[in-house]
Amino acid sequence: NWDTDNLYITALVTDNNFSQPATGGDIWQGDSLQIAATAEVPGSSATVSTSSTQGHYEYGLALTSQGSQLYRWIAPTGEATGSVTDAVSQVIRDDAGRTTLYKLALPWHDLTSVQPTANGVFSISALVNDTDNGTREGYLQWGGGIGATKDVAQFNMAQLMP
C-alpha cells in the first residue's frame, strides 16, 4: 500500500524456529526481511547492473536483541547507508503460531528515485532470510536481484494504484 508520505510493506512469514543473532548490517544472517527498490521498470538501466540509472535501495528489517531494526545497505550515490531511524518499523514474533509479522512504513524521502504518483511504476524485490538455531538455512525471494547477486534487472515491476 502507499500514500503521499510512505510506502507500506507488510509480510507475514511462517517460520518454525525464530533465530536472529545479529544486529545492524549483519541482520541478513538471521531471520529477516530484505526489500530492494528502484525507479522505472526492471532492467531499464542495463541488462545486468548493481544499480539503476537513478540508483537503487536495499533495506533489511529484523527483530534483534535490541528490538526492531531497519538497516539500509545500498543507496544512490550521496545518500547514507546504515541504521534507518526515520521510518516506522515493527517486527512481531508469535512463537505459538510460528509466525513473524514484518511491518514497515518507509518514507518516500528514503526512496528518492521512486516518485509516489498514482499509476506510477517502479521496480521492487523482497527476500526472507531463514536461520535456525544460528545456522543459515537459506532464503525465499519474490523477484530476484538481492540474494545470489545484486541485479536490478531481476526486480519485479510494481504499480502504485490510486
Side-chain angles (χ1 to χ4, degrees):
N1 205 349
W2 71 285
D3 61 25
T4 56
D5 298 318
N6 299 295
L7 175 64
Y8 298 95
I9 298 168
T10 303
L12 181 62
V13 178
T14 300
D15 186 354
N16 64 330
N17 183 326
F18 181 79
S19 179
Q20 179 47 271
T23 59
D26 293 328
I27 60 175
W28 66 270
Q29 297 173 12
D31 290 341
S32 59
L33 174 68
Q34 289 177 242
I35 301 291
T38 191
E40 303 175 357
V41 298
S44 61
S45 62
T47 304
V48 175
S49 175
T50 56
S51 65
S52 69
T53 306
Q54 289 122 347
H56 82 284
Y57 298 85
E58 186 177 325
Y59 290 90
L61 178 59
L63 179 59
T64 74
S65 59
Q66 300 172 1
S68 295
Q69 289 191 340
L70 181 63
Y71 194 88
R72 180 170 44 222
W73 291 285
I74 298 173
T77 302
E79 293 189 39
T81 57
S83 294
V84 178
T85 58
D86 64 344
V88 177
S89 62
Q90 185 179 29
V91 183
I92 303 167
R93 176 62 185 174
D94 177 359
D95 284 322
R98 297 181 173 192
T99 60
T100 306
L101 178 62
Y102 297 89
K103 297 173 76 174
L104 175 61
L106 189 61
W108 289 110
H109 64 261
D110 282 332
L111 286 172
T112 58
S113 67
V114 179
Q115 299 301 310
T117 57
N119 298 312
V121 296
F122 66 104
S123 300
I124 190 167
S125 188
L127 179 148
V128 176
N129 289 298
D130 184 28
T131 298
D132 289 348
N133 301 313
T135 301
R136 184 166 169 78
E137 299 291 321
Y139 58 84
L140 179 63
Q141 197 165 201
W142 177 78
I146 298 176
T149 184
K150 305 300 183 193
D151 181 1
V152 298
Q154 295 180 25
F155 292 5
N156 286 324
M157 188 178 83
Q159 184 174 18
L160 299 171
M161 301 304 293

